[in-house]
Each structure stands twice: as structure tokens, then as C-alpha cells.
């Protein structure tokens, strides 16, 4: 099912979703690397991307040494903590692919949350201005409440007036409570935003995200609307089971 700027792909199982997402991401990075010296990918946390990262390491034909990696959000824990998104990404993707440290732009967590967000925003803006950050692939998960990255329903991101790209989050409903997140203003630079959702427990959120008139404050992933890119939703049948046939 596709409409301008959005495609929804539904596979039978989680394995199908992992397979399809890996192929789509690899194809997109290939196209970028055919015309540009560097490509970039923003990684997601949570459990869903784990198998995808492992699958991506099998695509040895990609010039992974020309890809820069960023993070859509980070839990505010030390980077070697078992809950750290960067640790999961290192173990499943970055270390197996031998990605040089200089190509991994982790969100810092050794300073205060405000400093971490300001520092990461500064890094992103500098790289963006020099053309090194191209936002080729932005990978996102979604929670059962419709959150994505660490943009939670009715969080302070919904009332901020400045056009910030990165901000601290306090009192997140999903532990740990303190996090750092990219904002919709940043995520919406994506050329290809890939949203992964699997399992029956995500069905109501998928339906609210794709078929309701809910505000982005209520269902944060509805703030995802890349100005020049596409959103690709990859769902398994369980996550898609509440969708209607008229979706397009
Ligand atoms: C995190 C996230 C978060 C995650 C969703 C889905 O740090 O927790 O980046 O946005 O992607 O909560 O998580 P699951 O894949 O574990 O359901």
C-alpha cells in the first residue's frame, strides 16, 4: 500500500520484516554511495531493530566504511550500560562491521542531559552544514503508546517553540526516565524514514498512527513527515491486524 511519501509493507512474520527492511536499507545506502562519498544512517533503540542489525552485517557488499552512524535517541545511562542504545548497536552492528570509531556519532551521556543534547545538536548541525550528515536512512521503532525515538505523548517536545534538533527528556514513561532524543525537526530531514513495528501489542498504535486523526502530541509518530523524503512502514501481520483495507 503506497501513497505519496508513504509506503506500508506488511509481511507474514517478524523474520519477513527484518529481511525486507535489511534489503530496503541496503538498496538505499547503495544508491547514495553510488553518487556520494558518504552515506548516513540514524539508528533506533528498543528490541525490534536488534535482528535487523544482525542481518545487516551479512551484507558485506555495502561500503560500510563510508557510512556514518547516528542515533535517534539514547537512554541516559553510561554508554557501556546494558540499556544503552549505543551498546546494543555496537554489539549487533557496529563492531561486527568494524565501523571506525570516527564514523559512530553516539549521543554523549557523560555530561548533563542538557549539555548532551546541546552537544549532539551542535555536532549534527556542523556535519549537516558540511554535507557529511545526509540523513539517508532514519530507522525508528514505535512503542505501544505511539512514541518514537524518545518523543513520548504530551512530552515537552510538543510545546517547545525553538527549532531544536535534539533535546533532553525527563520522566519518560518507558524506563529509564531520563533520555536524549532527536526532535521531529531533525527526524524530518530523512530521505528514507523506516518504521519497524511487529507484534499484536503494537496493533492499536499502528492503527492510531496510520488511520486516526490523533494529534502528534497524542500519537508522537504522527509528527513524522519528512519534507523531502519517504516514510516506509514495515509491519508484520500481527501489528497490521487492526488496519482497514482502505488504507493507502
Ligand atoms: C528506545 C527507543 C524507542 C523504541 C520503541 C520501540 O530507546 O527505547 O528508541 O523509541 O524504538 O520504544 O521499542 P521496542 O522495539 O523495544 O518495542
Amino acid at each position: 500500500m503506497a501513497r505519496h511519501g508513504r509506503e506500508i509493507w506488511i509481511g507474514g512474520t517478524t523474520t519477513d520484516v527484518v529481511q525486507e527492511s535489511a534489503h530496503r536499507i541496503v538498496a538505499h545506502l547503495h544508491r547514495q554511495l553510488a553518487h556520494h562519498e558518504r552515506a548516513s544512517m540514524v539508528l533506533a533503540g528498543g528490541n525490534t531493530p536488534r535482528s535487523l542489525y544482525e542481518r545487516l552485517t551479512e551484507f558485506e557488499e555495502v561500503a560500510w566504511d563510508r557510512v556514518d552512524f547516528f542515533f535517534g535517541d539514547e537512554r541516559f545511562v553510561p554508554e557501556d550500560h546494558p540499556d544503552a542504545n549505543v551498546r546494543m548497536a555496537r554489539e549487533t552492528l557496529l563492531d561486527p562491521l568494524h565501523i571506525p570509531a570516527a564514523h559512530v556519532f553516539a549521543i554523549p551521556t557523560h555530561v548533563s542531559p542538557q549539555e548532551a543534547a546541546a552537544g549532539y545538536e551542535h555536532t549534527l548541525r556542523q556535519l549537516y552544514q558540511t554535507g557529511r550528515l545526509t540523513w539517508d536512512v532514519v530507522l525508528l521503532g514505535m512503542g505501544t503508546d505511539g512514541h518514537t525515538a524518545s518523543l513520548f505523548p504530551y512530552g515537552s517536545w510538543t510545546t517547545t517553540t525553538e527549532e531544536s534538533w535534539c533535546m533532553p527528556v525527563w520522566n519518560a514513561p518507558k524506563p529509564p526516565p531520563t533520555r536524549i532524543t532527536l526532535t521531529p525537526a531533525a527526524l524530518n530531514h530523512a530521505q528514507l524514514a523506516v518504521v519497524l513495528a511487529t507484534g499484536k501489542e503494537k496493533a492499536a498504535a499502528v492503527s492510531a498512527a496510520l488511520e486516526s486523526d490523533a494529534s502528534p502530541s497524542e500519537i508522537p509518530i504522527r509528527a513524522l513527515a519528512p519534507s523531502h523524503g519517504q516514510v516506509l512502514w514495515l509491519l508484520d501481520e500481527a501489528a497490521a491486524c487492526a488496519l482497514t483495507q482502505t488504507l493507502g
Side-chain angles (χ1 to χ4, degrees), residues 9-162:
W9 184 95
I10 301 170
T13 64
T14 304
T15 309
D16 297 331
V17 170
V18 167
Q19 184 74 354
E20 182 72 10
S21 52
H23 280 283
R24 297 289 193 107
I25 288 168
V26 163
H28 195 81
L29 291 176
H30 258 315
R31 276 198 294 277
Q32 171 69 9
L33 289 167
H35 298 103
H36 302 273
E37 180 47 37
R38 304 207 64 82
S40 60
M41 180 168 172
V42 178
L43 300 176
N47 288 319
T48 316
R50 193 178 288 267
S51 323
L52 166 63
Y53 294 161
E54 286 164 354
R55 180 76 183 92
L56 283 174
T57 64
E58 294 165 22
F59 289 83
E60 289 171 3
E61 69 273 25
V62 177
W64 292 112
D65 59 335
R66 290 165 52 205
V67 181
D68 292 313
F69 292 90
F70 299 87
F71 289 82
D73 72 330
E74 185 55 278
R75 293 109 181 252
F76 203 71
V77 293
E79 67 169 43
D80 58 352
H81 190 281
D83 289 341
N85 288 339
V86 68
R87 175 170 166 175
M88 191 272 279
R90 280 195 208 286
E91 288 176 353
T92 55
L93 178 73
L94 305 172
D95 289 350
L97 287 174
H98 307 292
I99 304 297
H103 300 174
V104 178
F105 296 88
I107 298 176
T109 54
H110 59 282
V111 290
S112 73
Q114 292 93 333
E115 286 168 333
Y120 204 58
E121 169 141 1
H122 182 72
T123 301
L124 295 182
R125 286 193 187 267
Q126 273 196 326
L127 292 168
Y128 185 63
Q129 272 157 20
T130 59
R132 171 97 181 247
L133 172 52
T134 46
W135 305 96
D136 298 304
V137 176
V138 174
L139 181 69
L140 293 164
M142 183 184 66
T144 54
D145 58 357
H147 80 255
T148 194
S150 288
L151 300 167
F152 292 93
Y154 304 109
S156 56
W157 66 275
T158 61
T159 51
T160 186
T161 49
E162 357 159 349

Side-chain angles (χ1 to χ4, degrees), residues 2-7 191-193 224-226 228-233:
R3 75 172 192 198
H4 185 64
R6 182 174 89 184
E7 179 183 349
Q191 291 177 22
L192 178 66
L224 186 66
H228 301 292
Q230 203 204 6
V231 182
L232 170 63
W233 283 78

